[in-house]
Amino acid sequence: RQMCIRDRTHSEPRAIQHAKDSGHDTNNAVIYMYGHYDVCDSCIRIMRENGISAYYVVEGAKTRFSQSTQPAL
């Protein structure tokens, strides 16, 4: 699993902050991610610290979203 700094630009902490800013309780919440195939250790820690009980990625996401399978722009 990759390591990243505690980066607030990652989707997971941004989604958590958006939920909290919108008045939602994140305890026992579930995050569904699209466009991801892995979650870094820092984001897993942030999710746990904020009560996220589970996270899911799209089936086959590693193949679907790997940069090596993306067409060049």
Side-chain angles (χ1 to χ4, degrees):
R1 190 161 276 172
Q2 70 178 6
M3 293 296 291
C4 73
I5 60 171
R6 200 174 175 117
D7 188 344
R8 294 287 174 192
T9 63
H10 283 207
S11 299
E12 300 88 332
R14 290 178 62 208
I16 292 166
Q17 191 59 54
H18 179 71
K20 287 182 171 191
D21 290 348
S22 299
H24 298 284
D25 182 3
T26 58
N27 274 333
N28 294 313
V30 176
I31 292 182
Y32 294 87
M33 294 181 283
Y34 186 85
H36 278 66
Y37 60 86
D38 198 10
V39 179
C40 72
D41 293 336
S42 295
C43 287
I44 290 171
R45 185 174 59 255
I46 290 168
M47 288 190 285
R48 286 182 181 147
E49 289 171 357
N50 286 278
I52 304 301
S53 61
Y55 66 89
Y56 297 96
V57 296
V58 174
E59 187 174 340
K62 186 158 187 149
T63 302
R64 183 181 288 183
F65 300 118
S66 172
Q67 288 189 358
S68 65
T69 63
Q70 297 298 310
L73 296 177

